[in-house]
Amino acid sequence: MNLIRSLWVMAALSTFCVPAIADPVPRPIDIHWNQGAADCRKTPQPPLQVFQYDPQTYILRESPCATFEAPFMYVLIGTDRALMIDTGDVADPTLMPLARTVMGLLPGQGAAKLPLLVVHTHGHLDHRAGDPQFQALPNVQVVGTDLQHVKQYFGFNHWPDGVDHIDLGHRVVDVIPTPGHYPSHVSYYDRNTALFFSGDFFMPARLIIDNTAEDIASAKRVAEFIRNRPVTYVLGGHIEVDANGDTFDFGSTYHPNEHVLQLDKQDLMGLPAIVGQFNGFYNQRGMYVMMNQYRVLAAQLAALLLIVAGVVVMIWRFVRHRRRRRRAMGN
Ligand SMILES: [Zn+2]
Ligand SMILES: [Zn+2]
């Protein structure tokens, strides 16, 4: 009995003495992203940049000259399959050799090529325009972006609550609902690298918030999720500010002195406080410009209608005045 007890104690001690798995260490992201140009025709540039973060992780970016959106995409390689997050803003493979480039990054040749799962942070076109390049390829599955597809594929029964997982083989990626920018927006957390992929939910760019209540709830949900987890970097969908935090003009193909892509855990933990100050229309906190694009668009349309109405009234008054003068001269 004593022997059994001492064996049990030794087993328990050995369990407690197993050294904890060290938190992933942030690796340097030492790449200068292509800054585009004011006149892209005079400055031809490669359409796509690829950065190898580690042997199994790639960051891709479409050049600001290929599309002013200049979105980022990510490739994560496991032992059973690879994951691609977002497919960018350019459909034409002759202009944007996305699928060819990504398939070239995956291990294996021909039928032995590692299978690829293509998912998205959300359904805005600048994150899924490249889907057709992948849809016809063998061993590639592309997941839809509407809420029904996202809920169904990941198995969210109580959207937006709960966290799902994608198992790539010795690499598990968590899927966290983050609606607010887009109804079916999700973020991804890679347990191996502790990278958090936030799409357009959080990034050094305009934060377009179409549903404030959902966005605040998502920010709180994410803060709760990462509270006790390591986060090496938060990687979003775009960069739209410079190193001083000033926003580039909307639609600009020129991004001089661009802010770095990566944000950190503290930035993401602070998001509930930032979004909590959103006025529902347009305002800025630090480098984050927050806007509801539909309301801003409606206001711009209303302003345009007012200007048109004002011009019509002026023309009508001018015509009436001339008629009166003619009549007076005729008399
Ligand atoms: Zn978006
Ligand atoms: Zn976007």
Side-chain angles (χ1 to χ4, degrees):
M1 194 69 181
N2 276 348
L3 178 68
I4 291 172
R5 191 186 292 165
S6 23
L7 281 174
W8 186 88
V9 170
M10 278 171 67
L13 274 175
S14 67
T15 305
F16 289 120
C17 292
V18 168
I21 296 169
D23 286 346
V25 177
R27 287 167 173 256
I29 303 183
D30 50 358
I31 179 170
H32 177 70
W33 299 110
N34 195 328
Q35 64 181 17
D39 187 348
C40 291
R41 284 168 304 178
K42 287 185 185 159
T43 323
Q45 309 185 357
L48 187 64
Q49 260 181 299
V50 181
F51 173 70
Q52 186 171 27
Y53 175 74
D54 71 16
Q56 279 86 38
T57 309
Y58 293 90
I59 304 174
L60 294 87
R61 191 202 200 175
E62 292 179 346
S63 157
C65 274
T67 159
F68 74 86
E69 297 279 8
F72 287 87
M73 298 152 288
Y74 304 95
V75 174
L76 282 56
I77 296 171
T79 53
D80 298 337
R81 56 179 171 163
L83 182 73
M84 174 154 197
I85 301 173
D86 288 345
T87 61
D89 194 34
V90 184
D92 188 343
T94 59
L95 300 174
M96 182 62 64
L98 183 65
R100 183 159 56 83
T101 304
V102 170
M103 297 316 281
L105 300 175
L106 306 186
Q109 293 297 328
K113 178 70 85 179
L114 196 70
L116 176 68
L117 176 68
V118 177
V119 296
H120 310 83
T121 53
H122 63 297
H124 283 149
L125 193 60
D126 55 312
H127 298 260
R128 64 176 169 84
D131 281 10
Q133 294 191 26
F134 293 90
Q135 275 155 346
L137 297 177
N139 275 336
V140 176
Q141 184 183 2
V142 180
V143 179
T145 56
D146 59 284
L147 189 54
Q148 193 190 342
H149 270 99
V150 170
K151 280 203 278 191
Q152 213 165 22
Y153 182 80
F154 293 115
F156 287 111
N157 295 320
H158 303 286
W159 177 274
D161 294 324
V163 174
D164 194 54
H165 322 285
I166 304 170
D167 192 345
L168 304 176
H170 296 93
R171 187 169 197 176
V172 175
V173 176
D174 294 307
V175 188
I176 307 115
T178 43
H181 171 77
Y182 190 87
S184 61
H185 196 294
V186 293
S187 296
Y188 300 90
Y189 175 76
D190 174 31
R191 297 183 194 175
N192 283 20
T193 57
L195 291 171
F196 190 97
F197 302 96
S198 53
D200 287 4
F201 165 65
F202 187 52
M203 54 187 174
R206 292 172 184 83
L207 301 182
I208 295 172
I209 300 170
D210 287 340
N211 186 319
T212 308
E214 283 188 357
D215 210 72
I216 291 174
S218 292
K220 289 179 178 169
R221 189 178 309 113
V222 164
E224 200 49 46
F225 176 84
I226 63 168
R227 188 176 308 281
N228 296 316
R229 288 176 169 86
V231 175
T232 47
Y233 296 121
V234 179
L235 304 177
H238 307 270
I239 303 171
E240 289 175 350
V241 297
D242 66 18
N244 302 316
D246 295 324
T247 309
F248 297 123
D249 289 341
F250 181 75
S252 173
T253 58
Y254 185 39
H255 287 197
N257 192 27
E258 206 178 49
H259 193 283
V260 293
L261 166 66
Q262 60 271 27
L263 299 172
D264 64 24
K265 180 174 178 173
Q266 279 315 108
D267 295 324
L268 190 50
M269 289 294 289
L271 187 59
I274 293 169
V275 184
Q277 296 174 60
F278 181 42
N279 63 15
F281 181 69
Y282 184 103
N283 63 325
Q284 185 164 8
R285 285 291 172 272
M287 71 170 174
Y288 305 107
V289 170
M290 295 176 278
M291 60 188 279
N292 179 308
Q293 60 179 347
Y294 298 116
R295 288 179 187 164
V296 168
L297 206 65
Q300 285 172 335
L301 205 65
L304 192 71
L305 284 174
L306 269 176
I307 291 169
V308 170
V311 170
V312 167
V313 167
M314 277 170 63
I315 292 171
W316 178 71
R317 278 186 177 167
F318 176 72
V319 170
R320 195 178 60 170
H321 177 72
R322 280 194 63 177
R323 272 188 198 152
R324 277 182 183 165
R325 268 189 65 189
R326 264 195 217 141
R327 253 187 249 135
M329 284 169 74
N331 287 340

